[in-house]
Amino acid sequence: MSIQNSKRVMFDGPVFQNSPAWNLHPFMVEDLIVRNITVRNPWFSQNGDGLDVESCKNAIIENSSFDVGDDAICIKSGKDKDGRDRAVACENIIVKNNIVYHGHGGVTVGSEMSGGVKNLHVSNCTFMGTDVGLRFKSTRGRGGIVENIYISDIFMTDIPSQAISFDLYYGGKSIAETLAEGGNTLTTKAVPVNEETPQFKNISIKNITIRGAQQAVFLQGLPEMNLQNIEISNLIAKAEKGFTIIDANGIKINNATLDIENSTVFEIYNTQNMSLKNVEFNSASTKAISINGEACQNIELVSSQKIDLSKRTTLGEKVSKGAVKF
């Protein structure tokens, strides 16, 4: 179903299933309501997205269920030059009270976000067995700005890969496929910033419960354009791996209780203006927090009553003196 260049559109009640590619695609629609729908595609249907809201303004997606072969609820605004030239952002979007089963991502922003995405609120959603819960993705060449994102009250269980993922090296594959091939490549070489440089900034994520995941949180920006101002608070997570934070600026993690299988809970690389406050985890390793990279600066680790973070942190050789404060 594709509806384009329209106003006052509502989907209420039907079942949509077995589409050859994207299932529902409202494009440049103003005042959109999607509620009480069921979207089903086979789990093996590549590009079998559930709902792709592209360059829309004023939308509510609520009380619906998704079980699909690719991303479930997707927020987009065009790809590369076409999206930048059109310059129509996806803005003022509310996503609430939805459930996602199979899918590459529960709620996804990108990777086609070249026109920008702003003012997105996601709340009271459940992801059960979804490859990734909250998925933000882009790559060099896209351009566009993703900003003012507010996420709250999310429950996730049995997530096969990353529960929360920000990946600015998206290469067109699912995270499960990327992990099977050895994971993301760590790149330290910056390139010049131009209109093709994507930006993700000003994002609040709070009241999150993760009951089983390969990794709780993965944050990777670009060396030339870090992820900016991401705050994660009131997080309860049980996962094999904890946090990976690469090329980020202004990361705040407050009130987190982490049950992590790996002895290293936080892997931090080339990150600045970051703070951990009231964070508790089960690892007693001196490498529970690993910090590396010469670009690291102004990292504040505040110990709790139960954990002295200074005794569980290892600094790499390239981390400058005074970059980390306890």
Side-chain angles (χ1 to χ4, degrees):
M1 174 72 76
S2 178
I3 294 184
Q4 304 183 6
N5 300 292
S6 302
K7 292 185 177 182
R8 298 175 61 84
V9 173
M10 181 168 69
F11 299 90
D12 187 350
V15 175
F16 298 91
Q17 64 183 20
N18 300 332
S19 66
W22 294 359
N23 207 313
L24 291 168
H25 184 204
F27 173 63
M28 295 184 67
V29 172
E30 185 173 343
D31 301 332
L32 169 70
I33 297 174
V34 179
R35 66 189 184 198
N36 306 319
I37 67 167
T38 299
V39 181
R40 296 194 292 249
N41 272 343
W43 65 267
F44 53 80
S45 56
Q46 188 71 24
N47 294 318
D49 295 9
L51 168 67
D52 291 271
V53 179
E54 183 172 4
S55 295
C56 294
K57 182 177 182 180
N58 307 335
I60 297 177
I61 299 105
E62 63 179 345
N63 302 327
S64 297
S65 70
F66 299 82
D67 194 337
V68 296
D70 211 305
D71 292 326
I73 302 170
C74 317
I75 310 300
K76 300 179 181 289
S77 62
K79 183 177 180 180
D80 299 344
K81 187 177 185 301
D82 288 343
R84 294 194 300 271
D85 289 349
R86 188 169 68 234
V88 179
C90 207
E91 60 182 321
N92 308 337
I93 312 295
I94 295 173
V95 180
K96 63 180 182 178
N97 304 330
N98 300 291
I99 186 167
V100 179
Y101 300 96
H102 287 113
H104 288 177
V107 173
T108 298
V109 174
S111 69
E112 301 90 345
M113 39 59 70
S114 301
V117 174
K118 58 185 178 181
N119 307 334
L120 167 66
H121 188 277
V122 180
S123 64
N124 296 301
C125 290
T126 299
F127 309 130
M128 302 179 66
T130 315
D131 283 3
V132 184
L134 300 167
R135 188 183 189 192
F136 293 75
K137 53 183 176 175
S138 188
T139 189
R140 289 169 174 146
R142 292 284 191 267
I145 301 174
V146 173
E147 61 183 340
N148 303 337
I149 311 296
Y150 305 94
I151 300 172
S152 64
D153 303 295
I154 306 296
F155 177 82
M156 312 185 212
T157 184
D158 300 327
I159 304 298
S161 57
Q162 298 157 353
I164 299 172
S165 176
F166 285 73
D167 181 9
L168 268 66
Y169 288 89
Y170 176 67
K173 298 180 180 179
S174 71
I175 292 181
E177 290 171 323
T178 300
L179 293 173
E181 294 176 359
N184 293 65
T185 301
L186 182 60
T187 303
T188 59
K189 185 177 180 181
V191 303
V193 173
N194 57 30
E195 64 177 4
E196 297 183 356
T197 307
Q199 299 181 51
F200 285 69
K201 61 183 181 180
N202 303 337
I203 297 165
S204 171
I205 303 173
K206 65 181 182 180
N207 303 338
I208 308 296
T209 300
I210 302 166
R211 292 187 180 172
Q214 186 271 340
Q215 182 167 25
V217 179
F218 179 86
L219 308 176
Q220 183 171 18
L222 298 170
E224 69 273 13
M225 184 60 70
N226 287 185
L227 298 174
Q228 298 177 43
N229 302 333
I230 299 178
E231 182 172 357
I232 300 175
S233 59
N234 303 337
L235 169 68
I236 299 174
K238 178 179 176 60
E240 296 176 27
K241 296 177 64 178
F243 280 69
T244 297
I245 303 171
I246 304 168
D247 290 323
N249 187 341
I251 304 299
K252 296 180 180 180
I253 300 169
N254 303 317
N255 302 326
T257 302
L258 308 174
D259 181 359
I260 306 301
E261 293 182 20
N262 282 14
S263 58
T264 299
V265 179
F266 287 89
E267 295 179 299
I268 300 167
Y269 185 83
N270 279 352
T271 293
Q272 52 190 316
N273 303 317
M274 174 182 172
S275 67
L276 297 184
K277 295 182 179 179
N278 195 23
V279 174
E280 297 183 357
F281 48 77
N282 54 324
S283 175
S285 171
T286 57
K287 296 182 179 181
I289 301 174
S290 176
I291 301 176
N292 292 281
E294 59 187 7
C296 286
Q297 61 177 336
N298 194 27
I299 296 176
E300 183 182 16
L301 307 179
V302 180
S303 298
S304 66
Q305 292 181 347
K306 296 181 179 180
I307 299 178
D308 184 349
L309 297 183
S310 66
K311 296 181 179 179
R312 303 193 188 182
T313 302
T314 298
L315 306 183
E317 294 180 357
K318 294 185 177 181
V319 177
S320 61
K321 185 177 181 180
V324 181
K325 300 176 182 179
F326 296 95

